[in-house]
Structure formats: structure tokens, C-alpha cells
Amino acid sequence: MRIELSDTSLMAGLVTLTSVIIVLMISFAEAQGGGLQKDFYSSTCPKTEKIVRSAVEKYFANDSTIAPALLRLHFHDCFVQGCDASVLISGSSAERTAFANLGLRGFEVIDDAKSQLEATCPGIVSCADILALAARDAVDLSDGPRWTVALGRRDGRVSSASDVANLPSPLDPVTVQRQKFAHKGLSDQDLVTLVGGHTIGQTDCAFFRYRLYNFTATGNADPSLSQASLSKFRELCPEDGDPSVRVALDQGSAGKFDASFFRNVKEGNGVLESDQRLWEDAATKDTVAKYAGNVRGLFGLRFDYEFGKAMNKLGAVDVKTGTDGEIRKTCSQFN
């Protein structure tokens, strides 16, 4: 039996197939970050990445601790209102005035890059995209991975200190950390991977000294701390000492972006309570163990690969694209 398709039937079939393909492409694009594109500025401002990189390099050369500051700035931005540069806004009730954001740094790097971009291609590049690129370049300059950043974010028109309560806290148990990350569409593995950014971070004694002397009002130290770390941390942060003294979050290779942070956690040397607790939850412990590694020759390779993927997921959280939001002329002010 021979079946022949008419031209009309064939055309209808092709139209249906094309429609299905388009729907799948749109769904994939939305899953990857709602319209973000790696070549978004290729025709409108082709020097965008070069200009941002140059600004980060300039400040990094004078102070390498600007790298974790920029990474943290991007993270704090994305967790509140999405990745829309709302954290950059100045004002008496803006996000950056919230207690959790009082230690944020790196605003001058973003402002510098923005002023250069406005001189080169005014009104084109968003502050949110500058933040995402600066965070990537900061990690790269710290001997970490380099990943492709999809662009096209627009800047938000809302910045309120009251919204910052959703930020993860160094006091959060894993259950709360998990809830906060899941609310942003991030998995347990993303949680552990992104916390791994602490490998180049620092914190004040004020944020973990309670673990050293009177943990949970017992008069004793946090039992999850190794004895070696307890002695070291007590030297750095005496009970009545300066609470603003800075301590590296990675005691193995401070300032270098690698996986030794996870070995610290595995061995009871995590500085922040929230970091150390990752070793006590079955799901997060498994990821920490994988990143910590057992074979020195393979140490850290998987973390490098996964960190870029997790950063792209973070960078796509609740982004504003198309006609939503605005392109600010000055990153610290709404238009």
C-alpha cells in the first residue's frame, strides 16, 4: 500500500515541527537565564568585557583582597531582588545600608568600569552585567576558573534594606541554607560550590569568635572545631580582642582560589559555623568530600569546573531583561 502526502499536508507537518523546535528553544533559553546571551554587546559595545577586566586588574594590582569583595558583592546582589545591581544603590534605606551588607566593598571598581563604558558606549551596558563580569574576572585573577558570562541583564528600580533578610547568614544551619538557596532555584551542590568561593574570602573575628569561647552558652568551644584550629583562632581573636580583626576563611591557601577550603571543612578547620556545618549534613557532606579530593594530583579540578557552572546559575537568578528595569547612567543612582 502506497501513501502519498500532498504538498499541503507536508507543509502543515513542517510548520508543526518548526513550532515545536521554537518552543523547545525558548524553553531552553529561559532555563539558561531568561534571554541572557554571551554575545549580547557584540555590536553595541564590543569592548565591554575588556573595559571591565581592565578596571578589575587595576584595583587587584593594588589590593588582591578586592577579588573576594567583588565576588561577595555579586552574590549579595543576586540573592536580593535578583541580579539587578540593586545592591549598588546609595540611600538611607537602600540594600547596602542593611546590617548584613555593611562590610561590602568594591563599589569603586564597578563605578570606574561604568564611567569608562558610559564614555565609550553611553546607555548600553547595565551595572548588573558589570557586576557579573567583575566577579568572574576577580576569580580568574585569583588563579581560579574563568567562565563565559551570559549578558543582557537590566538594572532594577527597587533597593530596600528590608529585603536583605533573605541573605544566607554565617549562623544558618544547613537546613536554612538549603531553603534559601532552593528559593533561588539552586541545588545542594550549588550551595556547597558557591560557598567554596570563601576560599579567597575573609571575615571579622566578630562573626565567629562565639565559637571559640562560649558556644551556645556552654562556656566551651564549638566541638566541631579541631584542636589545632581552636588554638590558632584564639590567638587571632582573643576573647576581649578587636572584633574587626580580619581572618582568612581558607587557612590552607589564603588568597588563592582553589579547593583547599573544602579540606579545611573536612578536617574541622572551617572558620564560619555555617561552613563547618556542611560536613554534618549527608547531602552537603558528600559534595564537600568530592571537592576535598583524595588524590593530590586531582585535587580541586572538579571544583574549578563546577564553580563556573554554579556562578552562571546564580547570575541568572530573577534577572530583568528586555524592557524590564533600566540601564542606569550611574550605578549608585536610579535614572
Side-chain angles (χ1 to χ4, degrees):
M1 179 178 180
R2 184 179 180 184
I3 299 176
E4 294 185 357
L5 295 176
S6 67
D7 289 344
T8 301
S9 297
L10 181 60
M11 182 61 69
L14 289 174
V15 169
T16 301
L17 178 60
T18 301
S19 298
V20 171
I21 293 175
I22 291 174
V23 169
L24 289 174
M25 289 176 67
I26 292 174
S27 298
F28 178 78
E30 290 177 344
Q32 295 300 306
L36 302 181
Q37 304 170 33
K38 66 179 181 180
D39 57 351
F40 187 81
Y41 298 114
S42 60
S43 60
T44 55
C45 194
K47 294 184 178 180
T48 295
E49 295 200 33
K50 182 178 180 180
I51 290 172
V52 175
R53 173 76 179 205
S54 176
V56 176
E57 286 178 343
K58 180 175 71 173
Y59 287 88
F60 182 85
N62 292 325
D63 176 14
S64 62
T65 67
I66 200 65
L70 290 169
L71 184 57
R72 184 175 180 231
L73 195 59
H74 179 50
F75 181 88
H76 280 228
D77 179 47
C78 291
F79 252 82
V80 182
Q81 297 287 342
C83 308
D84 67 350
S86 54
V87 75
L88 302 179
I89 293 295
S90 295
S92 58
S93 60
E95 284 178 31
R96 63 197 284 183
T97 66
F99 178 77
N101 285 337
L102 293 182
L104 291 179
R105 301 167 48 227
F107 298 99
E108 69 279 11
V109 183
I110 307 303
D111 290 341
D112 189 341
K114 178 61 172 176
S115 65
Q116 294 184 56
L117 286 165
E118 283 298 300
T120 305
C121 35
I124 299 297
V125 182
S126 70
C127 301
D129 276 345
I130 295 172
L131 257 180
L133 289 170
R136 187 272 309 275
D137 292 339
V139 170
D140 184 31
L141 289 170
S142 302
D143 296 327
R146 181 177 177 84
W147 59 93
T148 299
V149 177
L151 303 169
R153 299 165 189 80
R154 287 173 66 85
D155 301 322
R157 294 191 176 103
V158 175
S159 181
S160 175
S162 62
D163 294 328
V164 178
N166 294 326
L167 272 173
S169 161
L171 303 178
D172 286 343
V174 175
T175 53
V176 175
Q177 295 184 62
R178 176 177 289 122
Q179 290 172 356
K180 290 180 177 180
F181 276 75
H183 185 65
K184 302 299 179 183
L186 301 170
S187 67
D188 278 3
Q189 179 170 311
D190 296 326
L191 187 167
V192 177
T193 305
L194 293 169
V195 168
H198 285 170
T199 182
I200 55 173
Q202 296 180 323
T203 191
D204 294 349
C205 286
F207 291 108
F208 73 98
R209 188 163 53 187
Y210 69 93
R211 300 182 67 202
L212 312 179
Y213 300 99
N214 191 27
F215 185 66
T216 63
T218 61
N220 300 313
D222 184 344
S224 67
L225 273 171
S226 71
Q227 191 58 47
S229 284
L230 177 59
S231 298
K232 182 177 182 180
F233 295 157
R234 280 179 169 174
E235 288 182 9
L236 294 170
C237 302
E239 191 167 9
D240 297 319
D242 183 355
S244 65
V245 170
R246 305 287 285 172
V247 176
L249 292 174
D250 184 348
Q251 294 293 303
S253 56
K256 182 178 181 181
F257 198 98
D258 57 24
S260 69
F261 166 81
F262 297 104
R263 178 169 291 183
N264 289 336
V265 172
K266 180 180 179 181
E267 297 175 352
N269 301 326
V271 178
L272 297 176
E273 182 182 358
S274 57
D275 291 350
Q276 192 57 53
R277 296 294 170 253
L278 296 176
W279 188 247
E280 299 174 4
D281 178 270
T284 55
K285 179 178 181 178
D286 181 63
T287 304
V288 170
K290 288 178 180 177
Y291 288 158
N294 296 313
V295 182
R296 184 170 295 275
L298 299 178
F299 185 63
L301 292 181
R302 187 168 179 268
F303 171 56
D304 273 8
Y305 173 72
E306 295 294 340
F307 189 79
K309 290 170 57 179
M311 284 296 290
N312 273 329
K313 286 184 67 175
L314 173 70
V317 168
D318 297 332
V319 293
K320 296 167 180 62
T321 58
T323 58
D324 195 10
E326 63 183 16
I327 303 297
R328 288 183 212 143
K329 297 181 177 65
T330 302
C331 287
S332 61
Q333 300 174 8
F334 298 124
N335 289 345

